Amino acid sequence: MVFPRVRLVAKTFVLVAILSCPALAADSHASAADTAVVGAHGQGEVAAAAHGEGHGNQVDAIHHVVDAREIEIPWPNRDLAKVIHLPSLGTFHIGSIPVDMAITKHVVFLWVAAILLFVVVSVAAAKRSRGTDPPRGITNLIEIFVAFIRDEITVPSLGPHYGRVLLPYFLTAFFFILFCNLLGLVPYGSTATGNISVTAALATLSFFVIQGVAISSMGFGGWIKHLTGGVHWALWPIMIPVEIMGLFTKPFALCVRLFANMTAGHVVILSILGLIFIFRSVAVAGLAVPFSVFIYLLELLVAFIQAYVFTMLSAVFAGLGVHSSHDSEEAEAH
Amino acid sequence: MLVSVNPGLIIWTIITFLVLVFLLSKFGWKPIVGALENREQAIRQAIAEAHQARDEAQKILEAQNKLIASAEAEAREIVQAARETSEQIRREADVTARTESQRLLDQARREIENAKELALRDIRDVVADLAVAGAGKILKETLDPERHRAMVDDLVASLEKSKA
């Protein structure tokens, strides 16, 4: 069984390499894979024009990862391929900080992920099995994740009460992040979770959930008391700032971890494909394309892992608030 | 550029996420988790029922086995008793038959004895008569019959005595 599988993988590599060749020739950008097009970006004027800015002879990986004000609609016929300029909804100020409510590329992909997720989950909910019949198809797939998140993440971390009450939040966080991550792996897609503003927003929501659980579990007084770390009052001037910093480092870590993981894979793929243009040789593609396919598959794995890690760590951090309250058991007994 | 924070995008993300949490909780997670929990409950119940049924079956089987064992013991007892009874009956019948046959034998013997006695007595009478008649013929008027008879009787008695 091993031998045919090795041959299959080899064939896949050859196929991918062949399919990539037209793009490498900088001829038909619109028909090739997303990554290849942006990789070829530095070479051809067409792609450069499509991006609305020229980069000369540079391979710009960052440009592909960051947010944009327009979306490219791919089409095999280059004349029908379009660039949609997204509307700007105006800017208002919070204090002196300008808040630009423009619909950017990442906002659109957040919505695409949200709509896809809503459709998939409502279909799964509509087809759910009644009674003891096993679930089938998409419902089964969704249920595996739901049962896993409930039984392995929320209930063990937060206990049976909070684990059930907050389950919808954690399920949504997991699936939303997963869908955003996966959309970045679709050609012409964009990884909204590779934007630090998006991960900061998600981490902010986690911050509120974490503190909300802690306050609800310990009471406001207990929560304040927890900030003193239970040490002698003379140490409070040191302890309280440390604890308050601790409140923010956890979501900050969540934010940066997700952002960095989702950005890194794309940058690595583009860098490897960029080698072809740095060396100005199609022969390099023989090595670069299989390697970028490997990184792509790794990213597929990372998409799931990071969605899991974000959800799991949010639950664990929230669980710390629940478990601290076991010191004052009377409060919970009421 | 890569790590610049866009407050508008943060707000859009929060709005999108909160709307999604609301919609999915209502139309997605609630039915799915509900169905999951119902099924888990049903399965747990089915397992508990199966356990109970198994325990019950076990109990019934034990009772059955006990019943069979007691029935077997009883049957064995009955067979044993029957064997003993039959043995006793056989022995009794044996004894009865033996005594009966003994009795019959004795009776037959006694009857034979009686018959022999009678026959002997008859023979004696006849012999006595014949002897008297013969002697009377020989001796004719030498003696009267009464004296002869007494003589012969004495003779016969002495004969019997010597024979005994």
Side-chain angles (χ1 to χ4, degrees):
Chain A
M1 279 309 287
V2 174
F3 189 60
R5 194 173 293 169
V6 169
R7 278 177 57 187
L8 182 70
V9 171
K11 275 184 195 165
T12 312
F13 278 150
V14 170
L15 194 66
V16 168
I18 291 168
L19 287 176
S20 303
C21 278
L24 301 176
D27 234 9
S28 54
H29 301 276
S31 67
D34 170 27
T35 49
V37 165
V38 182
H41 179 213
Q43 296 272 319
E45 309 99 304
V46 180
H51 283 98
E53 40 191 319
H55 283 266
N57 279 327
Q58 286 178 321
V59 176
D60 189 356
I62 300 301
H63 171 82
H64 173 71
V65 188
V66 295
D67 209 354
R69 300 295 298 268
E70 62 275 319
I71 290 183
E72 298 159 43
I73 305 294
W75 203 259
N77 182 345
R78 205 189 305 149
D79 297 331
L80 292 175
K82 274 186 197 157
V83 174
I84 297 176
H85 293 277
L86 297 166
S88 165
L89 297 184
T91 306
F92 65 93
H93 287 77
I94 299 176
S96 62
I97 307 165
V99 180
D100 182 5
M101 293 303 287
I103 309 294
T104 63
K105 193 178 183 182
H106 284 159
V107 174
V108 171
F109 275 92
L110 283 175
W111 291 348
V112 170
I115 290 165
L116 270 179
L117 178 56
F118 183 72
V119 168
V120 166
V121 172
S122 25
V123 166
K127 285 185 173 177
R128 69 188 184 275
S129 65
R130 329 261 158 172
T132 50
D133 295 341
R136 296 171 10 153
I138 188 86
T139 313
N140 194 6
L141 182 67
I142 297 291
E143 257 199 33
I144 289 166
F145 285 104
V146 170
F148 177 81
I149 289 166
R150 188 194 58 181
D151 298 337
E152 304 294 329
I153 298 178
T154 61
V155 171
S157 306
L158 294 157
H161 173 65
Y162 289 107
R164 273 167 216 286
V165 171
L166 290 173
L167 186 58
Y169 165 76
F170 287 104
L171 286 173
T172 311
F174 174 81
F175 279 102
F176 187 53
I177 293 170
L178 179 65
F179 273 56
C180 286
N181 293 352
L182 290 176
L183 275 183
L185 297 174
V186 176
Y188 282 91
S190 178
T191 324
T193 43
N195 186 315
I196 198 153
S197 304
V198 172
T199 61
L202 294 172
T204 306
L205 291 169
S206 272
F207 172 80
F208 284 118
V209 167
I210 292 165
Q211 301 316 323
V213 168
I215 292 170
S216 142
S217 166
M218 294 188 270
F220 191 70
W223 182 70
I224 294 285
K225 212 174 109 188
H226 187 67
L227 288 182
T228 63
V231 295
H232 190 262
W233 61 266
L235 289 171
W236 285 5
I238 304 168
M239 208 58 205
I240 289 171
V242 167
E243 285 284 342
I244 287 173
M245 264 170 61
L247 296 182
F248 293 101
T249 49
K250 287 166 195 161
F252 182 73
L254 287 178
C255 162
V256 173
R257 179 183 299 109
L258 184 56
F259 157 71
N261 271 288
M262 295 328 295
T263 305
H266 289 58
V267 174
V268 169
I269 287 183
L270 290 171
S271 304
I272 290 170
L273 288 176
L275 291 176
I276 301 167
F277 304 101
I278 289 169
F279 288 105
R280 291 180 172 280
S281 158
V282 178
V284 179
L287 199 70
V289 171
F291 209 77
S292 61
V293 169
F294 166 70
I295 300 292
Y296 182 95
L297 295 176
L298 194 67
E299 271 211 89
L300 205 55
L301 183 66
V302 168
F304 281 88
I305 290 175
Q306 289 307 317
Y308 164 69
V309 165
F310 189 96
T311 315
M312 200 260 297
L313 287 180
S314 296
V316 168
F317 293 150
L320 292 177
V322 178
H323 293 306
S324 309
S325 69
H326 285 304
D327 306 334
S328 51
E329 200 82 325
E330 314 89 54
E332 206 160 322
H334 291 302
Chain B
M1 188 71 163
L2 188 61
V3 287
S4 61
V5 175
N6 176 359
L9 185 51
I10 292 182
I11 291 169
W12 276 127
T13 308
I14 290 175
I15 291 170
T16 308
F17 188 84
L18 289 181
V19 168
L20 195 59
V21 167
F22 173 75
L23 287 179
L24 283 184
S25 307
K26 200 160 178 188
F27 301 109
W29 305 135
K30 208 171 161 191
I32 290 176
V33 172
L36 188 63
E37 277 173 359
N38 283 345
R39 191 163 66 249
E40 281 170 345
Q41 184 62 34
I43 289 170
R44 216 173 288 131
Q45 200 178 329
I47 289 173
E49 273 168 14
H51 273 293
Q52 205 178 331
R54 198 192 58 187
D55 289 350
E56 237 159 66
Q58 190 71 31
K59 239 177 260 168
I60 289 170
L61 188 68
E62 266 167 31
Q64 216 83 294
N65 279 348
K66 219 175 276 175
L67 209 64
I68 289 171
S70 76
E72 253 171 25
E74 204 174 323
R76 214 176 295 122
E77 227 164 74
I78 288 168
V79 168
Q80 187 67 25
R83 199 172 286 149
E84 273 166 21
T85 313
S86 73
E87 182 69 19
Q88 198 177 339
I89 287 168
R90 197 184 60 79
R91 215 178 292 127
E92 270 171 18
D94 209 26
V95 169
T96 317
R98 203 167 288 157
T99 51
E100 183 70 8
S101 69
Q102 194 63 42
R103 193 179 62 79
L104 287 174
L105 204 61
D106 287 351
Q107 195 180 336
R109 208 170 273 151
R110 244 189 336 267
E111 269 168 19
I112 290 167
E113 201 69 26
N114 285 347
K116 197 172 99 185
E117 193 83 8
L118 280 176
L120 277 176
R121 196 174 297 156
D122 280 352
I123 288 171
R124 214 162 34 223
D125 286 348
V126 172
V127 165
D129 284 346
L130 279 178
V132 169
K137 259 179 202 165
I138 297 163
L139 295 173
K140 241 144 189 180
E141 271 126 41
T142 328
L143 285 169
D144 67 316
E146 279 304 311
R147 284 190 49 198
H148 282 246
R149 179 172 293 267
M151 268 171 62
V152 171
D153 276 345
D154 280 344
L155 192 70
V156 169
S158 71
L159 258 173
E160 267 184 357
K161 212 173 272 171
S162 70
K163 189 184 151 199

